[in-house]
Amino acid sequence: MRFETRTATRLLQICAITAVAGLALTACAGRATDSGTGEVVRNEDAKVTQVVKEEDCLDYVASPGITDDEIKLGSTFPDSGPLASIGETNRGMMAYFDYLNDSEGGLDGRKITLVPRDDQYDATKAVANVDELLQKENVFGIVGVQSSVGATSIWDTLNEQCIPLMMSTVSGSLLEDRLAHPNTLDGLVPYASEAYALGQYAADEWKSKKVAVIAQSGIFGESFLRGLDTVLPENGIELAGTETYQVTDPTVTAQITNLKATGADTLIVVAAGTKCPQIFDAVESAGWDPKIATTFTCSNTTLMGLASPSAVDDVVSTTWLRSREAGDPESDKYFAAVEKYFPDLNASSENVALGWAQAEAIVEILRQAPALTRLDVINSGLSLKDAKIPMAADGVLLNTSATDTMPIETVRITKFDSGSMKWSFADGDSALIDLDGVLKKTDK
């Protein structure tokens, strides 16, 4: 499939929008420099499908941020505010890059530098951050944008210029929108697909009859409901009630009271940040005892530790990551690196391990590119074939193509033990779930 070039009129519209906010991304402000790139050819024999070509790009600059000894990348993500726990992911990513730089000299002698920026989960700040990263820091690409509002506020302009946007959260986006942005690779399982996995697990293992949902308002919650609206009817399960909340809401007591009144036997929590433990505690305080499944975004142990232990015991979630245990070589490497580079970071957090895994995926994409040019890296990202990431769980392989920009579409179901403060893979035939093709069903 050939990427269909967007028109200059669309670019002018994007520029006008950003100008209103006093911002200007690279295409709006003029051509960036391409100085000091050094030799960028790596492996001319690499088997990479040429999905995106130079004629598809506006103001194309091939290799900024690439020198003989450095690959410079940028990131914008929530590092403060109510969703600050998401920032752990980027420190996990930085820990891997630091490890790779020290142990192997980076990638082919080039050390990988990640320049981070805090956007506080604010789309306007994300746009300004990316503008600064491209214009002032002259980064090669943007990676690890850990919020849907951040990633989708920048992906139009970056796609116009063929700038890679790798391992970033566009997990709530529709399939057609993803395919219109071949420069962008999701760093999570699509939310609608994750919802499908949790709904299928509830049907197979819990024999759920009535499901209630509490969800963050906006694209996050809406996309998750698309998955549930597909999987629940397929299994004869009633969606008994749905309540939403704003990130800034002081409590969720009213929502939980309403959902308890539905008589649902299962609750699915679509949340992130400090709202996760608040919801779990509110369920317990209401004297309600449903089976609880939650999004990966709630599953890091930093957040689970903020809730009452009895409120989170046996909560179920999803992961595409391996179980980290002492004695496992990848785990030992990971724990040692986090301790060395970020000693105050909670290495048991799922978010930190996610960042490490996303960094491994980025390096794999860079390694497979014929040359360190933006086009070759984008096309490398669209040519993953059964790529195995060391931090990924057994059975989880990364695959992409011109018609599939979602690298991770297999998950394992995990269960939380509040006594040990650990997630473990759940038992049962549904523990490993293949989600390839789910978005074609949910995004109709």
Side-chain angles (χ1 to χ4, degrees):
M1 181 186 77
R2 186 177 183 278
F3 166 52
E4 182 179 353
T5 308
R6 292 171 182 260
T7 64
T9 300
R10 173 60 181 147
L11 178 63
L12 291 173
Q13 291 171 341
I14 295 170
C15 294
I17 292 169
T18 54
V20 170
L23 307 171
L25 290 176
T26 306
C28 311
R31 186 180 177 90
T33 60
D34 194 17
S35 59
T37 57
E39 178 60 48
V40 298
V41 175
R42 298 191 62 259
N43 179 11
E44 293 177 316
D45 297 325
K47 297 184 184 301
V48 171
T49 303
Q50 296 300 307
V51 179
V52 185
K53 301 178 176 64
E54 187 167 347
E55 58 263 31
D56 300 324
C57 313
L58 292 175
D59 283 329
Y60 178 62
V61 184
S63 302
I66 305 293
T67 67
D68 288 334
D69 55 13
E70 184 182 39
I71 300 170
K72 185 185 285 189
L73 305 172
S75 182
T76 178
F77 57 95
D79 200 33
S80 59
L83 297 178
S85 62
I86 296 174
E88 292 182 333
T89 306
N90 284 72
R91 275 177 280 282
M93 184 175 286
M94 286 186 274
Y96 179 76
F97 290 146
D98 288 343
Y99 162 80
L100 187 71
N101 291 340
D102 287 349
S103 64
E104 299 182 24
L107 178 62
D108 295 341
R110 289 183 171 96
K111 294 193 174 183
I112 301 176
T113 300
L114 181 61
V115 183
R117 293 289 184 270
D118 180 14
D119 60 35
Q120 299 177 317
Y121 208 79
D122 183 307
T124 301
K125 288 184 173 66
V127 172
N129 287 346
V130 170
D131 180 51
E132 179 180 321
L133 289 165
L134 293 172
Q135 294 280 35
K136 296 182 180 179
E137 297 291 343
N138 204 33
V139 300
F140 175 76
I142 303 297
V143 303
V145 182
Q146 304 295 345
S147 68
S148 295
V149 294
T152 56
S153 67
I154 61 175
W155 71 342
D156 280 344
T157 304
L158 268 59
N159 189 53
E160 289 277 3
Q161 299 171 78
C162 298
I163 298 172
L165 177 58
M166 294 185 286
M167 290 292 114
S168 295
T169 302
V170 292
S171 308
S173 300
L174 292 168
L175 180 59
E176 63 179 339
D177 292 330
R178 294 167 181 270
L179 297 180
H181 297 83
N183 71 314
T184 304
L185 293 184
D186 205 341
L188 296 175
V189 175
Y191 292 140
S193 299
E194 185 186 10
Y196 194 94
L198 289 177
Q200 194 63 55
Y201 184 84
D204 292 344
E205 303 300 327
W206 291 342
K207 311 302 180 186
S208 299
K209 300 300 181 184
K210 298 177 68 175
V211 168
V213 181
I214 181 167
Q216 181 177 309
S217 62
I219 188 173
F220 181 20
E222 291 165 3
S223 58
F224 215 87
L225 283 168
R226 289 201 307 270
L228 293 178
D229 285 342
T230 300
V231 71
L232 297 185
E234 286 181 356
N235 289 278
I237 300 174
E238 176 188 350
L239 180 58
T242 301
E243 292 284 337
T244 62
Y245 70 87
Q246 300 288 338
V247 172
T248 54
D249 286 350
T251 73
V252 291
T253 301
Q255 291 94 324
I256 294 303
T257 299
N258 291 339
L259 293 176
K260 178 186 177 183
T262 67
D265 53 43
T266 302
L267 174 66
I268 295 182
V269 178
V270 187
T274 53
K275 272 294 183 290
C276 300
Q278 188 180 63
I279 291 169
F280 298 138
D281 284 345
V283 171
E284 183 176 62
S285 296
W288 187 22
D289 188 30
K291 299 284 189 182
I292 299 178
T294 189
T295 50
F296 178 87
T297 50
C298 270
S299 70
N300 85 70
T301 54
T302 302
L303 293 174
M304 300 300 282
L306 297 176
S308 164
S310 54
V312 293
D313 202 35
D314 290 337
V315 167
V316 159
S317 188
T318 71
T319 189
W320 61 277
L321 306 177
R322 73 190 297 117
S323 179
R324 279 86 60 202
E325 302 288 347
D328 166 60
E330 176 70 9
S331 300
D332 290 344
K333 178 173 68 177
Y334 162 75
F335 285 123
V338 173
E339 175 63 26
K340 178 178 180 180
Y341 301 114
F342 294 95
D344 295 331
L345 197 58
N346 176 14
S348 66
S349 166
E350 293 292 300
N351 279 353
V352 181
L354 172 65
W356 180 279
Q358 289 179 342
E360 289 180 330
I362 291 165
V363 170
E364 181 67 15
I365 293 166
L366 294 172
R367 183 175 284 120
Q368 291 188 16
L372 289 177
T373 66
R374 284 170 166 171
L375 275 176
D376 272 2
V377 167
I378 288 172
N379 288 319
S380 174
L382 294 172
S383 303
L384 296 174
K385 304 299 180 188
D386 290 336
K388 171 64 177 173
I389 302 303
M391 186 56 81
D394 289 343
V396 176
L397 302 173
L398 277 57
N399 284 280
T400 55
S401 69
T403 58
D404 183 359
T405 61
M406 294 81 71
I408 309 119
E409 294 184 274
T410 307
V411 297
R412 294 192 72 92
I413 299 296
T414 58
K415 183 180 292 187
F416 189 69
D417 180 355
S418 61
S420 62
M421 287 296 294
K422 290 178 62 176
W423 291 91
S424 300
F425 294 138
D427 296 327
D429 294 337
S430 301
L432 181 63
I433 302 176
D434 181 7
L435 302 169
D436 184 34
V438 166
L439 289 192
K440 291 180 180 179
K441 295 199 295 184
T442 65
D443 292 2
K444 293 180 180 179

